[in-house]
């Protein structure tokens, strides 16, 4: 009888392969191909050895990448041949942890494996990728609502295909002892599932049930347990649950009674109330001290949300994605939503439940109030980071919420809800990576997306990039991989600043990055810059704000340039020390040249003009009418005439009025002239309402001159001169034109001018790739029209996709620029490292 030769391989699997059921998948696949060997997690990802017939091994290795579990993202499978040992059976071994030879996991190290011995000695750097948190899968939801299932109405149901990941992880490799589930010992039934290769919960680290896992309770502001009957003040209990037993039903009863409830989710707390109750919504706005920002809504299913907003196929796809982001969509007339939810805006931010607890809560509310939606906004006071620690939540939210729905599974990493909007960009799909990618514009990247890694086009040393000041994020990078932290917010808030520092420390430990280089914005007064300057024994790399925006888009598309770009935002310190914000750039990731910009005007009062945008209306009128800017009659009842003239004189003399090229501030000026806003509490609010006011079918456009200059100053080769635009706006408004018409014509004017200017620069520079980014390009109307026009003119257009166009992308752009500058200095190429 002929003996079939056996072959053995050792393979390293890179990518998101921990916390996604990858080891159980390898176990099942090995059995399917009748292979022996073992698989384990380590601090680099997944390592395995397999032995069997050569053809079976070849199929096995191919299917590791071709048939991964739903949540896995396999980047590479690299294998080397070993001598066969005759081993039988395939096992999942305990995880190996570097730098900790005394750890229990180390006892399971396979003898005779030199790379694992190196791992024990700390000779190999950790590099495991961490999966984001994932919404409940269909199987778990079916069990959740099945009265005969042992996990019926269990708010913490999960499996290898769904559930908490990033927010519960304390360290790698991803195993229960290194998560916030460590304190919950599995019962016999859960342990049997965990050890059963045929179970969906085979090696599911957060596996639990009502007998052994976390539990929820409803408490009042004093921390005392509240029953459903107490919450509702009536005998009936939402969902038919028993009073005093089911905390979620008690919370639903409180919400139906018009109360405000703080709800602990996967990455922090929400504040919830009925979306159709104007009194409750207005009271939440008052207590939260959130006068303007819109509230997000949550409903049980897409059908319910379809009764509130207009959802195209792309919007439905985004809502149902496993990340469960907030999706901005046009509000339907007659929607049962209180006016105070999103005042002044045509869109609502809507989302589906991201946890089993939220599913139960919406289902219980829906029993009594069919088609109901809840306000589900970040659990914080205005401008503070979201609360995630229980004691902190009780202290900070106790004055806002009437009751708190809490649970005893700790959250280790804060993660607010992500926010996206769908796009109709048209043109080539090459503008963005991935199928359907052109349909998504990220506005806030956090839960569900962070800490998913991004590639860098050039290899970087261990590096920290500190980002900007508003909409802040940080970025850690090493080799060709970068990790952008979840949204932090405004660093001028001390709690946000503390969260910023804690987040950096957590990522440094999680991804084993000890920064040798720290990149930062050029603005000396940014608190992110101060953080960078306070680091010791590092090389500092300053990166101009708009260059970082430009580089972030190139880098996330895997490109280094060259390209041209329009970077429009509110403000960023320019290389010449002035306030930039309407920049036309050309260059690559390493360096850019400013070739043009918006016509400069004064910024009266500096930052005061952000809060009082009427100052920018005054400045633009001065520029448009040769220094004469009487207070428009239509604004006389809203702006003090004496203050207007004082500000006008400041601008004329240049006193406390730096020069700016900000497109964001131009939007502010037009919004004021249209009578939309004279003051705001958050940057960009006036511009958002101007976009909302635009008549979508209007095709007319004002003239916005694109002036080519012949001077020696290369930074002023092309200028966008909006003075004629402002004069036309004033004339239309004086003639009785509607703000809808004026807004649309202004948007079209700016889009036409941007397209014209970039085409001129493309011809001059000999490039065919254009970048659009900066916070102004959160404006869907402007972005879609610019992108479509540039593509129709023959340019390839790159827009943000995995990161926002706003300052949430600055840190990643800084990392890309720093890596490119260092690579050019050292001649470094692609990353070189041992993979074992």
């Amino acid at each position: 009888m002929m003996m079939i030769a056996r072959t053995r391989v050792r393979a390293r699997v890179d990518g998101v392969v921990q916390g996604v059921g990858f080891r159980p998948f390898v176990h099942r696949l090995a059995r399917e191909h009748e292979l022996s060997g073992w698989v384990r997690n380590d601090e680099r990802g997944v390592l395995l050895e397999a032995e069997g017939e050569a053809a079976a091994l070849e199929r096995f290795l191919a299917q590791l990448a071709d048939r991964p579990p739903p949540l896995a993202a396999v980047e590479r499978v690299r294998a080397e041949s070993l001598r066969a040992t005759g081993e039988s059976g395939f096992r999942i071994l305990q995880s190996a942890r570097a730098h900790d030879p005394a750890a229990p996991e180390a006892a399971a190290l396979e003898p005779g494996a030199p790379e694992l011995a190196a791992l024990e000695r700390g000779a190999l750097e950790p590099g495991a990728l961490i999966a984001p948190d994932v919404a409940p899968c269909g199987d778990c939801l079916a069990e959740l609502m099945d009265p005969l299932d042992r996990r019926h109405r269990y708010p913490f149901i999960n499996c290898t295909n769904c559930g908490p990941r990033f927010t519960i992880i304390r360290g790698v490799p991803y195993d229960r002892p290194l998560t916030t589930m460590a304190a919950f010992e599995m019962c016999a039934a859960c342990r049997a599932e965990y050890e059963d290769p045929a179970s969906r919960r085979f090696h599911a680290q957060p596996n639990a049930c009502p007998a052994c896992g976390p539990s929820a309770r409803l408490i009042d502001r004093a921390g005392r347990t509240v029953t459903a009957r107490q919450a509702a003040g009536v005998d009936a209990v939402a969902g038919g649950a028993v009073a005093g037993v089911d905390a979620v039903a008690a919370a639903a009863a409180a919400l139906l009674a018009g109360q405000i409830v703080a709800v602990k989710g996967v990455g922090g707390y929400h504040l919830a109330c009925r979306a159709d109750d104007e009194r409750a919504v207005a009271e939440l706005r008052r207590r939260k001290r959130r006068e303007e920002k819109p509230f997000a809504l949550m409903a049980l299913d897409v059908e319910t949300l379809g009764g509130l907003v207009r959802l195209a196929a792309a919007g439905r796809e985004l809502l149902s994605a496993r990340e469960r982001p907030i999706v901005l969509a046009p509000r339907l007339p007659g929607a049962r939503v209180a006016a105070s939810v999103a005042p002044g805006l045509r869109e609502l931010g809507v989302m589906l439940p991201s946890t089993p607890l939220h599913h139960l809560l919406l289902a219980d509310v829906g029993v009594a109030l069919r088609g109901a939606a809840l306000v589900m906004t970040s659990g914080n006071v205005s401008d503070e980071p979201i609360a995630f620690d229980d004691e902190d939540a009780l202290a900070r939210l106790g004055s806002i919420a009437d009751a708190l729905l809490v649970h005893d599974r700790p959250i280790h990493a804060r993660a607010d809800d992500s926010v996206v909007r769908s796009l109709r960009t048209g043109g080539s799909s090459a503008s963005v990576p991935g199928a359907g990618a052109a349909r998504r514009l990220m506005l806030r990247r956090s839960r569900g997306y962070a800490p998913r890694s991004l590639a860098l086009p050039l290899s970087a040393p261990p590096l920290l990039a500190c980002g900007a000041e508003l909409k802040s994020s940080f970025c850690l990078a090493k080799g060709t991989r970068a990790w952008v932290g979840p949204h932090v917010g405004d660093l001028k808030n001390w709690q946000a600043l503390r969260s910023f520092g804690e987040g950096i420390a957590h990522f440094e430990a999680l991804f084993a990055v000890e920064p040798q280089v720290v990149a930062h914005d050029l603005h000396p007064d940014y608190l992110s810059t101060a953080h960078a300057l306070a680091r010791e024994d590092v090389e500092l790399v300053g990166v101009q704000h708009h260059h970082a925006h430009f580089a972030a888009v190139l880098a996330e598309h895997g490109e280094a340039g060259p390209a041209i770009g329009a970077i429009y935002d509110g403000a960023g310190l320019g290389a010449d020390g002035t306030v930039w914000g309407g920049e036309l750039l050309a260059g690559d990731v390493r360096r850019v040249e400013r070739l043009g910009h918006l016509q400069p005007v004064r910024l009266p009062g500096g930052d005061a003009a952000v809060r009082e945008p009427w100052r920018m209306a005054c400045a633009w009128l001065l520029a448009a009418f040769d220094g004469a800017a009487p207070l428009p009659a239509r604004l006389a009842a809203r702006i003090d005439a004496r203050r207007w003239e004082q500000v006008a004189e400041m601008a004329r003399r240049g006193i406390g009025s730096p020069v700016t090229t900000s497109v964001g501030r131009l939007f502010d000026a037009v919004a004021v002239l249209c009578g939309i806003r004279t003051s705001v509490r958050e940057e960009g609010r006036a511009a958002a309402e101007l976009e909302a006011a635009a008549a979508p079918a209007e095709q007319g456009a004002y003239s916005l001159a694109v002036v080519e200059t012949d001077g020696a100053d290369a930074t002023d080769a092309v200028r966008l001169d909006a003075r004629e635009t402002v004069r036309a706006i004033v004339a239309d408004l004086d003639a009785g034109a509607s703000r809808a018409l004026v807004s649309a014509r202004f948007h079209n004017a700016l889009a036409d001018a941007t397209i014209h200017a970039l085409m001129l620069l493309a011809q001059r520079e000999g490039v065919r790739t254009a970048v659009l980014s900066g916070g102004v390009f959160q404006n869907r109307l402007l972005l879609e029209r610019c992108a479509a026009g540039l593509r129709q003119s023959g340019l390839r257009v790159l827009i943000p996709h995995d990161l926002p166009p706003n300052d949430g992308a600055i840190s990643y752009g800084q990392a890309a620029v720093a890596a490119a500058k260092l690579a050019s200095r050292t001649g470094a190429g692609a990353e070189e490292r041992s993979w074992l």
Side-chain angles (χ1 to χ4, degrees):
M1 181 176 177
M2 181 181 296
M3 297 292 293
I4 299 176
R6 291 172 63 86
T7 303
R8 189 175 184 92
V9 297
R10 178 183 298 131
R12 161 72 64 191
V13 186
D14 293 331
V16 180
V17 290
Q18 292 192 14
V20 293
F22 199 82
R23 289 175 298 169
F25 157 71
V26 172
H27 185 276
R28 290 190 293 270
L29 192 62
R31 287 192 167 188
E32 179 183 320
H33 291 287
E34 299 181 345
L35 304 177
S36 60
W38 52 263
V39 61
R40 65 156 39 101
N41 281 344
D42 62 23
E43 290 187 313
R44 299 285 299 282
V46 164
L47 189 68
L48 64 92
E49 291 188 11
E51 183 172 323
E53 186 182 346
L57 275 173
E58 185 176 346
R59 291 192 298 271
F60 167 77
L61 291 172
Q63 290 171 0
L64 288 175
D66 295 342
R67 290 173 43 189
L71 303 184
V74 176
E75 295 180 352
R76 289 179 295 190
V77 178
R78 292 173 286 179
E80 66 174 4
S81 297
L82 301 174
R83 183 165 35 183
T85 66
E87 177 183 14
S88 62
F90 198 93
R91 298 167 291 154
I92 295 179
L93 300 183
Q94 288 179 289
S95 299
R97 296 168 58 189
H99 313 297
D100 189 9
E105 289 83 355
L109 291 176
E110 195 73 7
E115 77 285 352
L116 294 179
L119 182 66
E120 276 196 282
R121 294 194 307 271
L124 300 177
E125 285 192 344
L129 301 186
I130 305 301
D133 304 286
V134 179
C137 67
D139 291 332
C140 283
L141 288 179
E143 294 171 349
L144 181 72
M145 307 310 290
D146 181 358
L148 301 181
D149 193 274
R150 73 187 187 94
R151 291 187 176 88
H152 176 231
R153 291 188 61 84
Y154 183 55
F156 310 100
I157 190 170
N158 67 87
C159 69
T160 56
N161 296 325
C162 67
R165 295 296 189 271
F166 166 62
T167 55
I168 65 169
I169 292 174
R170 290 193 171 107
V172 291
Y174 173 69
D175 284 307
R176 195 177 182 107
L178 291 176
T179 73
T180 61
M181 287 294 294
F184 299 95
E185 184 175 351
M186 281 184 275
C187 65
C190 286
R191 173 60 65 178
E193 293 171 326
Y194 183 87
E195 295 176 350
D196 180 4
S199 171
R200 198 174 79 252
R201 296 186 170 90
F202 184 41
H203 279 254
Q205 302 305 325
N207 189 31
C209 73
C212 64
S215 59
R217 64 191 184 108
L218 187 70
I219 61 174
D220 63 16
R221 294 173 174 180
R224 298 170 299 204
T225 300
V226 179
T227 67
R229 184 170 300 183
Q230 291 169 333
V234 294
D235 290 337
V237 178
V242 178
V245 174
D246 192 324
V248 178
L255 289 164
L256 287 167
Q259 296 186 31
I260 297 168
V261 178
V263 180
K264 186 178 180 181
V266 69
Y269 279 79
H270 287 113
L271 287 164
C273 70
R274 283 177 52 169
D276 63 342
D277 186 338
E278 175 62 32
R279 184 206 62 80
V281 177
E283 181 62 14
L284 173 57
R285 193 170 285 285
R286 184 190 69 80
R287 295 183 191 179
K288 189 176 161 69
R289 302 202 294 272
R290 185 166 174 168
E291 297 178 8
E292 298 176 348
K293 286 184 180 180
F295 289 146
L297 304 181
M298 181 182 286
L300 184 62
D301 49 44
V302 173
E303 290 67 33
T304 301
L305 290 176
L308 304 178
V309 294
R310 187 170 68 251
L311 289 173
R316 291 173 180 268
E317 183 180 334
L318 289 170
L319 278 169
S320 303
R322 65 194 185 197
E323 294 88 356
R324 291 295 195 273
I326 297 170
V327 178
L328 301 188
R331 177 176 179 162
L332 290 175
R336 281 171 43 193
V337 176
S340 294
V341 166
L345 299 177
R346 288 184 177 177
E347 292 182 316
L348 296 175
V350 297
M351 61 178 159
L352 295 175
S354 55
T355 72
L357 185 149
H358 288 88
H359 270 276
L360 290 173
L361 187 63
L362 268 297
D364 286 354
V365 169
V367 169
L369 193 65
R370 189 171 180 82
L374 296 176
V375 167
M376 199 66 67
T377 188
S378 301
N380 57 7
V381 180
S382 184
D383 296 328
E384 293 180 357
I386 186 173
F388 74 104
D389 175 80
D390 295 337
E391 289 185 7
D392 177 56
L394 188 58
R396 285 205 283 145
L397 306 183
S399 61
I400 303 175
D402 299 302
L404 294 87
L405 180 56
V406 303
H407 59 76
D408 55 356
R409 184 181 69 202
I411 298 170
H412 188 68
R414 175 191 283 115
D416 210 335
D417 296 314
S418 295
V419 183
V420 304
R421 69 192 318 179
S422 59
L423 292 176
R424 299 179 299 274
T425 56
S428 169
S429 62
S431 61
V432 285
R439 299 196 301 269
R440 183 184 80 201
L441 179 68
M442 186 78 68
L443 300 181
R444 184 169 75 194
R445 184 179 186 269
S446 197
R447 178 189 52 75
Y449 298 95
R452 199 175 290 161
S453 69
L454 299 171
L456 286 173
L458 291 166
S459 183
L463 180 153
L464 165 67
C466 295
E469 183 113 311
L470 303 177
K471 297 179 175 65
S472 176
S473 71
F474 59 84
C475 178
L476 273 294
K478 181 173 60 176
T480 55
R481 199 181 300 281
W483 297 270
V484 178
H487 167 81
V488 176
D490 182 357
L491 295 188
K492 292 179 181 178
N493 177 279
W494 74 269
Q495 289 173 318
L497 184 61
R498 183 179 67 179
S499 175
F500 176 78
E502 291 171 348
I504 290 173
H506 182 48
F507 269 51
E508 286 175 344
L510 204 58
F511 301 114
V513 178
E514 298 181 13
Q516 300 170 5
V517 177
V518 177
H520 61 86
D521 195 272
L522 296 183
H523 200 302
D525 296 332
Y526 278 0
L527 293 174
S528 58
T529 302
H531 182 95
L533 298 180
R535 305 283 294 218
E536 297 180 349
D537 301 321
V538 296
E539 180 177 352
L540 296 172
V541 178
V543 179
Q544 198 278 323
H545 190 88
H546 301 91
H547 185 191
H549 273 305
F550 181 83
V553 178
L554 284 174
E556 77 155 280
H557 287 273
E559 301 193 12
I564 54 170
I567 311 299
Y568 296 164
D569 62 4
L573 183 65
D576 61 358
T578 64
V579 181
W580 291 5
E583 308 313 307
L584 301 172
L585 307 178
D588 52 32
V589 171
R590 185 175 65 87
R591 60 179 298 277
V592 293
E593 186 178 7
R594 186 194 199 199
L595 296 182
H597 51 78
L598 182 67
Q599 171 72 28
V601 298
R602 293 290 177 175
L603 185 68
D607 286 347
V610 176
R611 300 185 297 274
E612 296 181 322
W614 64 263
R615 293 169 178 258
M616 289 310 304
C618 181
W620 270 103
L621 289 176
L622 286 170
F625 292 98
D626 298 323
L631 176 64
R634 59 185 165 275
L635 299 177
R638 303 171 65 182
I639 303 171
D640 180 77
R642 185 172 55 182
R643 289 194 67 205
W644 176 277
E645 184 52 39
Q646 289 171 344
V647 166
E649 191 60 23
M650 285 174 57
R652 290 188 190 102
R653 297 187 179 187
I655 300 172
S657 303
V659 168
T660 183
T661 57
S662 170
V663 170
R665 300 290 80 80
L666 173 60
F667 267 88
D668 286 350
V670 176
V672 172
L673 294 175
C674 288
I676 291 173
R677 283 270 174 174
T678 58
S679 64
V680 297
R681 289 183 60 88
E682 57 169 316
E683 183 187 26
R685 176 68 182 186
E689 293 187 12
L690 182 66
E691 178 192 3
E698 174 61 31
Q699 297 300 308
Y702 297 120
S703 173
L704 199 160
V706 178
V707 181
E708 293 185 80
T709 62
D710 297 324
D713 185 2
T715 68
D716 199 20
V718 175
R719 182 174 295 197
L720 305 181
D721 191 342
R723 289 175 293 185
E724 183 179 349
T725 315
V726 171
R727 290 193 290 269
I729 287 171
V730 170
D732 264 1
L733 290 170
D734 288 345
S738 69
R739 66 177 60 168
L741 183 73
V742 171
S743 175
R745 289 178 175 176
F746 167 68
H747 277 83
N748 293 341
L750 183 57
D752 289 348
T754 301
I755 294 164
H756 183 191
L758 288 178
M759 291 304 300
L760 289 174
L761 294 180
Q763 185 175 9
R764 167 181 164 147
E765 298 297 309
V767 299
R768 306 302 298 169
T769 299
V771 168
L772 300 174
S773 193
V776 168
F777 282 111
Q778 294 175 114
N779 183 313
R780 178 164 57 190
L781 178 59
L782 180 66
L783 178 59
E784 288 177 345
R785 296 194 177 184
C786 286
L790 289 167
R791 290 194 184 101
Q792 290 168 7
S793 299
L795 292 189
R796 178 168 169 264
V797 182
L798 301 181
I799 60 176
H801 173 62
D802 288 322
L803 292 168
N806 60 44
D807 283 4
I810 288 289
S811 63
Y812 174 70
Q814 291 169 345
V817 173
K821 288 184 174 181
L822 293 168
S824 68
R825 189 178 69 196
T826 62
E831 176 186 27
E832 297 179 4
R833 63 185 178 105
S834 167
W835 61 270
L836 283 173

